[in-house]
Amino acid sequence: MKKALKIFGIIILIIIALLIAIPFAFQSQITEIVKRYINQNLNAKVEFSDVGLSFIKSFPQARVSVSDLTITNFEPFKDETLATAKNIAFTMPIKELFKKADEEPIVVSSFKIDEALLTLKTDKFGNTNYDIVKSDSSETETSTEESASFSFSIEDYSIKNSALTYLDEASNMLIHLSEFNHSGNGTFSAETSEIDTKSETNISFTMDSINYLQNNAVTLDAVIGLDLEKNIYTFKDNIGFINKLPIEFDGSVQLLENGQQIDITFENPQASFKDFLAVMPKAYTENLDDIVTTGNFNVKGIVKGLSSDETIPNLDINITSNNASFKYPNLPKRVEQISINTSIKNTTGNVDDTYVDIKQLNFKIDEDVFKSSATLKNITKNMLVNAHIDGTLNLANISKVYPIEFDKTLSGILKGNINTSFDMNAVETNAYERIKSNGSVSISDFIFSSEDVINPIHISTANMSFSPETVSLNNFKAKTGESDINATGKITNLLGFLLSNNTLKGNFDINSNLFKVSDFMTEDESVSKENETTKEESLKIPAFLDCTINAKANTVVYDNLNLKEVSGTLVIKDQKATLKNVTSSLFDGSLAIIGNVSTQNKVPTFDVNLGIDGFDIAQSFNNMELLQNLAPVAKLFQGKLNSTINISGNLDDEFSPELSTVSGMALAELLTTKVNANKGELFNALESSLNFIDFDKLDLNDVKTQLEFANGGVNVKPFELKYEDIAITVSGSHKFDQTLSYNAVFNVPAKYLGSEVNRLIGQINSEETNNISIPVTANIGGSYTSPTVKTDLQSAVSNLTKQLVEIEKQKLVNTGKDKVKDLLGGILGNQNTKNTDSINETATEKTDSTKTIKDEIKNVLGGLLSKKKKDTNN
């Protein structure tokens, strides 16, 4: 007995070893079979990472698996991925492995597909990316047999965790199935049989930019009868769900060479209005049983006819509801008197003849009644819309009757009576002659918020009347942030803005008491570095605006400026605001502006011309950063300023100029100006170095200068100042960081150099000394708050000494003709005279006189350099 058990155990181990080892022997054959089948049958590039064979996982059958399958198209969809699958597995009897793939078919009994992604596409020329099966007009009997290398005797199959997308560019249709799971079991080999299937997925459906379904859950449990001889598949004992709406199917689908012959009817079996709510997204139907409803809801449909490349089945789908109501348990209000009568029909089989007829869509909330009807034709191409809306809707009640959450409060009373007809192409291309609308709409106490505006807009009242070409804004009163607006005007493409994401075009006249520019800007978000998401807000001109605004405002706030009595024209287009003939009162003067501000790029820019007339210098330079940086010293003045400034550059996130980027030029004129009592560090430094100047008496009237600025700095062209009879020439440059590099040249008469110099001049006592002056240059550096002043006063006094010596020479020369000749002879050394004593005497007198003058000048210079206050009246 023990020996028998031992032998049995050895046999079992041998069998297990064979089951593990045999797949390696057949590995190359399996790979060869898969590659041969692909090459013989598919016109596409197919790649996979591995082909495996196992006798263990599906014993007593063999299991063949393909891992990481990718199918890539050839032209005209070159390099586009048609399908991927993480794993595909087939099971088959072990004996099938011993068949030759080119001699007899291999029978597959089951298959499983995991995590497949399939993208089906039809381009605008009618080409399909899924037509990849090879076909050849010269196909022989042998090739036909090879193309049938597999046959199926399937008992069960499954597709798990997969997704499918179908895109038709010609009709602009998109169908997307996500979280797709499907399984079936039965027998495919018999001529007639049944399979039991289970399917579930989330479906989204969009056509011509209109989203009809958004991630709606669909399930279907169905027994499908198979007639393989006639290729007929019949629905039996089935029920499906769209979200929680139950639908029963009856009918069949027959596969033909040119398409499918469909004959299906469906309806919802319960006929309760609760079924309608079940179509809504899952988030709002989780507690469907708790919702109180009355009335019925019927969905019935017939789909019958040939589905092919040229035709679709005829459609007759009807949705009706009469006098229904619903109320959510935790919400305060009820929707009642609901009437729905809608049909979807096609009687020709031509897809373009499909139309939707909404005969009635009515409801009532409190005392507000809303009625509407519409027809939608040619829905697969250029959809034609004819609609009528008449009713009142309190927007605040939407969240009180339906569990929808808004980012911000939505409120307001909407009243309308409108008839409109148009085609979508006309809306998108602004073909106003094909857009016919008439009626009126009014809004009161409406609050609108969007990511396109930084503050909610509260519209207290708005009245619009519709005509075929335009919408007239008869009255509009609104407030956003701290700004108020009263407006009238015309809008030329309201439907394009509402239905097709077009820009909002119009012309408006706007009046405002207070208008803050920052209240109308949007917030722009960007992603920071190193994968960390942060919110960087920058102001943006809304991209949806294309309008001309003639505006008047009592006060406009821009940055820290309060502009009064503002008027002008603002043109907004393509995220660019152009200012035309804008005037305002500012700093006790007036300001004129033309130019533009653009937020088209990531960094906003500006390019404007400013005309300044009669600005109060103290106010303007203390409150306007731009002027402070162009001429920081000017804020020490009192008086008036006239100027023209041409300036351009970048704006920061607060819409203020980035000083390092600005460039341009300015012409400035100072009127009736004087220096403030508090002279500041610069003038104090100058007075310390030049004690003959009293800057309180500086004449600044009618001073004109020209400035050029770029690269964070200002260059000042030479301009003239006066201090009594001292002419001053100033030029140089400074940076916006207030570092200074200036030269001030003072043309100083000699009499300002003190009493000693005046006595010296008195000794000379000649007309030449009356006009003696010396240039004194002050080099100004450092910064505006910590200036440095260096002068050439010492060298200037030395030059004065030379002038006085020269005058004294001329005075001695003029004492007599002979003395002049003798003096010249002695100086030049090229003449000998007989009157040597006279020459010596003259030379001695000259030397003594020169020495006296030099001594006097040294005394003067010493007094100046010791910075003692001199009496400038001598």
Side-chain angles (χ1 to χ4, degrees):
M1 185 69 180
K2 292 184 178 179
K3 185 176 181 180
L5 291 174
K6 184 176 181 181
I7 293 173
F8 179 75
I10 292 173
I11 293 173
I12 294 297
L13 289 175
I14 291 173
I15 292 173
I16 294 173
L18 286 173
L19 290 175
I20 296 173
I22 287 175
F24 294 99
F26 285 98
Q27 187 81 27
S28 60
Q29 183 177 350
I30 296 301
T31 303
E32 181 64 25
I33 291 173
V34 174
K35 287 184 177 180
R36 183 188 299 273
Y37 181 80
I38 289 172
N39 292 330
Q40 290 175 349
N41 293 279
L42 298 184
N43 185 26
K45 181 181 179 181
V46 180
E47 298 177 302
F48 48 84
S49 64
D50 188 29
V51 174
L53 173 63
S54 174
F55 293 145
I56 299 296
K57 293 182 178 179
S58 56
F59 185 81
Q61 292 193 328
R63 183 177 186 271
V64 179
S65 62
V66 179
S67 301
D68 300 323
L69 175 73
T70 300
I71 303 176
T72 306
N73 286 112
F74 295 151
E75 296 289 355
F77 301 93
K78 184 174 175 58
D79 297 332
E80 292 186 9
T81 300
L82 169 63
T84 64
K86 185 176 182 181
N87 188 68
I88 300 176
F90 302 90
T91 61
M92 61 186 71
I94 294 176
K95 66 179 182 177
E96 300 298 316
L97 297 175
F98 297 92
K99 293 181 178 180
K100 294 184 178 179
D102 55 352
E103 292 182 357
E104 50 186 322
I106 297 174
V107 176
V108 176
S109 52
S110 70
F111 69 85
K112 294 181 179 180
I113 300 175
D114 290 332
E115 298 184 28
L117 300 176
L118 182 62
T119 302
L120 308 180
K121 184 176 181 181
T122 301
D123 67 16
K124 58 184 178 180
F125 304 107
N127 300 311
T128 59
N129 71 336
Y130 50 87
D131 186 12
I132 62 172
V133 178
K134 287 183 178 180
S135 62
D136 192 342
S137 60
S138 62
E139 189 174 355
T140 65
E141 182 179 351
T142 301
S143 63
T144 302
E145 292 175 356
E146 289 178 349
S147 65
S149 297
F150 290 96
S151 67
F152 295 94
S153 179
I154 295 177
E155 296 178 356
D156 66 85
Y157 66 93
S158 66
I159 302 172
K160 295 182 179 180
N161 300 322
S162 298
L164 181 147
T165 299
Y166 175 71
L167 173 63
D168 189 334
E169 292 182 346
S171 61
N172 195 17
M173 179 174 66
L174 174 66
I175 299 174
H176 180 65
L177 304 181
S178 61
E179 300 180 40
F180 179 74
N181 292 278
H182 174 74
S183 63
N185 58 78
T187 302
F188 284 79
S189 58
E191 289 185 2
T192 59
S193 59
E194 292 182 351
I195 59 171
D196 190 357
T197 65
K198 296 182 181 296
S199 304
E200 61 179 26
T201 187
N202 294 326
I203 183 170
S204 298
F205 175 58
T206 301
M207 179 173 285
D208 202 19
S209 302
I210 299 176
N211 195 342
Y212 293 95
L213 297 173
Q214 179 63 43
N215 213 33
N216 288 78
V218 175
T219 62
L220 175 64
D221 295 344
V223 176
I224 300 176
L226 306 179
D227 185 340
L228 298 181
E229 182 178 1
K230 296 179 180 180
N231 284 327
I232 297 176
Y233 301 85
T234 305
F235 288 97
K236 301 179 178 180
D237 300 329
N238 67 85
I239 186 168
F241 290 86
I242 301 176
N243 280 353
K244 294 186 178 181
L245 171 66
I247 297 289
E248 290 184 351
F249 293 83
D250 286 305
S252 63
V253 176
Q254 182 178 14
L255 302 183
L256 305 174
E257 290 185 2
N258 61 337
Q260 302 89 38
Q261 187 68 34
I262 300 175
D263 186 358
I264 293 177
T265 62
F266 60 89
E267 66 177 321
N268 62 316
Q270 298 177 8
S272 166
F273 189 76
K274 192 169 290 188
D275 295 345
F276 170 75
L277 296 179
V279 183
M280 300 297 105
K282 283 184 177 180
Y284 309 120
T285 58
E286 291 297 334
N287 299 317
L288 188 62
D289 294 337
D290 297 330
I291 301 173
V292 178
T293 66
T294 63
N296 62 355
F297 178 76
N298 297 96
V299 178
K300 291 185 177 181
I302 299 175
V303 181
K304 186 173 184 178
L306 179 64
S307 175
S308 67
D309 293 339
E310 292 79 24
T311 63
I312 66 169
N314 292 348
L315 303 175
D316 187 5
I317 302 171
N318 298 283
I319 303 170
T320 59
S321 180
N322 295 307
N323 197 26
S325 70
F326 70 88
K327 183 181 183 302
Y328 278 80
N330 298 323
L331 297 178
K333 294 186 180 294
R334 173 189 301 272
V335 181
E336 53 191 356
Q337 295 183 16
I338 301 171
S339 297
I340 302 172
N341 188 352
T342 298
S343 299
I344 303 172
K345 293 182 180 295
N346 185 296
T347 59
T348 67
N350 184 348
V351 65
D352 297 335
D353 294 336
T354 304
Y355 67 92
V356 178
D357 185 7
I358 306 173
K359 297 181 180 66
Q360 192 178 65
L361 178 58
N362 304 338
F363 60 86
K364 179 182 178 182
I365 304 175
D366 289 341
E367 299 303 316
D368 298 335
V369 177
F370 186 87
K371 298 180 179 181
S372 64
S373 61
T375 59
L376 309 176
K377 297 182 178 180
N378 198 33
I379 60 176
T380 60
K381 290 186 176 179
N382 181 22
M383 186 166 63
L384 306 175
V385 179
N386 194 321
H388 173 70
I389 297 173
D390 181 14
T392 300
L393 183 61
N394 186 339
L395 300 177
N397 283 340
I398 294 177
S399 59
K400 294 179 181 179
V401 298
Y402 195 73
I404 187 171
E405 295 182 1
F406 297 104
D407 292 337
K408 295 185 179 180
T409 302
L410 179 67
S411 65
I413 307 298
L414 174 65
K415 295 181 180 181
N417 189 342
I418 304 171
N419 290 294
T420 183
S421 64
F422 56 88
D423 62 88
M424 289 303 299
N425 181 261
V427 170
E428 293 169 357
T429 60
N430 299 324
Y432 305 120
E433 68 277 3
R434 302 205 308 269
I435 302 174
K436 309 299 181 184
S437 300
N438 60 76
S440 62
V441 171
S442 66
I443 300 173
S444 58
D445 293 326
F446 175 71
I447 297 177
F448 169 75
S449 62
S450 165
E451 60 184 17
D452 290 325
V453 290
I454 196 170
N455 293 309
I457 298 176
H458 180 198
I459 301 174
S460 57
T461 181
N463 295 309
M464 293 176 285
S465 58
F466 291 77
S467 65
E469 287 90 21
T470 62
V471 177
S472 296
L473 184 64
N474 304 316
N475 184 23
F476 181 88
K477 293 182 179 180
K479 187 171 183 179
T480 179
E482 299 180 40
S483 302
D484 63 274
I485 301 173
N486 293 324
T488 59
K490 293 184 180 296
I491 304 171
T492 56
N493 71 329
L494 182 61
L495 285 177
F497 172 65
L498 296 176
L499 300 180
S500 188
N501 295 323
N502 283 2
T503 54
L504 181 64
K505 296 182 178 181
N507 295 293
F508 306 95
D509 295 322
I510 294 179
N511 292 285
S512 175
N513 181 53
L514 173 63
F515 189 96
K516 294 183 69 174
V517 174
S518 60
D519 285 339
F520 294 85
M521 299 298 110
T522 64
E523 297 180 359
D524 184 36
E525 298 184 6
S526 60
V527 179
S528 70
K529 58 184 178 180
E530 296 182 359
N531 298 323
E532 293 183 3
T533 302
T534 58
K535 187 175 182 181
E536 296 178 0
E537 297 180 359
S538 62
L539 302 179
K540 287 283 186 181
I541 298 171
F544 63 79
L545 286 178
D546 181 0
C547 58
T548 299
I549 300 172
N550 299 307
K552 291 184 179 180
N554 291 333
T555 302
V556 173
V557 178
Y558 171 68
D559 200 11
N560 65 333
L561 299 179
N562 294 327
L563 291 81
K564 301 293 185 180
E565 299 174 356
V566 179
S567 66
T569 300
L570 176 65
V571 179
I572 300 175
K573 185 176 182 179
D574 298 329
Q575 290 190 293
K576 184 177 182 180
T578 301
L579 304 168
K580 298 181 177 180
N581 303 319
V582 177
T583 61
S584 71
S585 298
L586 182 66
F587 303 136
D588 296 336
S590 62
L591 174 67
I593 307 174
I594 59 173
N596 63 76
V597 174
S598 174
T599 61
Q600 293 172 332
N601 299 319
K602 184 176 181 180
V603 178
T605 60
F606 71 101
D607 186 354
V608 297
N609 296 330
L610 306 177
I612 294 172
D613 184 16
F615 270 18
D616 179 87
I617 293 176
Q619 291 185 54
S620 59
F621 279 83
N622 282 322
N623 292 282
M624 198 168 178
E625 185 180 4
L626 174 64
L627 295 181
Q628 292 176 16
N629 287 278
L630 292 182
V633 71
K635 74 176 183 178
L636 299 178
F637 298 153
Q638 293 179 350
K640 297 290 184 179
L641 169 70
N642 292 341
S643 181
T644 58
I645 302 175
N646 311 114
I647 187 170
S648 62
N650 295 339
L651 297 169
D652 61 20
D653 290 344
E654 299 298 326
F655 258 44
S656 298
E658 289 186 356
L659 296 176
S660 61
T661 68
V662 300
S663 61
M665 62 176 297
L667 297 173
E669 179 181 15
L670 302 179
L671 305 174
T672 61
T673 307
K674 63 180 181 178
V675 178
N676 285 334
N678 181 13
K679 299 173 186 176
E681 293 83 354
L682 180 58
F683 283 159
N684 290 335
L686 285 169
E687 283 189 337
S688 297
S689 299
L690 303 170
N691 59 8
F692 50 81
I693 293 288
D694 183 357
F695 283 97
D696 289 332
K697 300 178 181 179
L698 191 65
D699 185 0
L700 296 174
N701 291 328
D702 301 325
V703 173
K704 297 180 180 180
T705 185
Q706 179 177 339
L707 298 82
E708 294 180 351
F709 38 92
N711 301 318
V714 178
N715 292 319
V716 180
K717 298 295 181 67
F719 66 94
E720 304 294 330
L721 297 173
K722 287 185 179 180
Y723 170 76
E724 296 183 353
D725 55 353
I726 298 177
I728 307 172
T729 302
V730 180
S731 64
S733 65
H734 65 271
K735 298 292 185 181
F736 288 145
D737 61 6
Q738 297 193 346
T739 56
L740 306 174
S741 179
Y742 279 92
N743 292 326
V745 180
F746 299 81
N747 196 22
V748 183
K751 65 180 181 179
Y752 285 100
L753 299 177
S755 57
E756 291 85 350
V757 172
N758 288 320
R759 284 197 299 270
L760 181 59
I761 293 172
Q763 290 178 2
I764 297 174
N765 193 22
S766 67
E767 295 181 359
E768 291 86 344
T769 60
N770 295 333
N771 296 321
I772 290 178
S773 61
I774 60 172
V776 177
T777 301
N779 297 311
I780 304 170
S783 66
Y784 179 73
T785 55
S786 182
T788 61
V789 177
K790 297 180 180 179
T791 71
D792 61 350
L793 182 59
Q794 184 173 357
S795 60
V797 173
S798 297
N799 290 335
L800 175 62
T801 301
K802 294 177 181 178
Q803 291 184 53
L804 294 176
V805 169
E806 187 61 29
I807 292 172
E808 180 63 15
K809 287 181 183 179
Q810 294 300 322
K811 180 178 179 182
L812 293 175
V813 168
N814 291 333
T815 57
K817 183 177 181 179
D818 291 339
K819 289 185 177 182
V820 170
K821 290 181 180 180
D822 294 339
L823 179 60
L824 289 174
I827 294 173
L828 297 175
N830 57 4
Q831 291 185 7
N832 293 318
T833 62
K834 295 179 181 180
N835 299 325
T836 303
D837 294 338
S838 177
I839 293 172
N840 292 335
E841 182 180 352
T842 302
T844 302
E845 292 175 358
K846 170 183 171 297
T847 301
D848 293 340
S849 177
T850 301
K851 181 178 179 182
T852 301
I853 294 171
K854 288 183 176 180
D855 290 342
E856 293 292 342
I857 293 302
K858 289 180 179 178
N859 291 335
V860 174
L861 183 61
L864 288 172
L865 296 179
S866 64
K867 300 184 179 180
K868 294 180 179 179
K869 191 71 177 178
K870 304 299 180 181
D871 183 2
T872 60
N873 297 322
N874 292 335

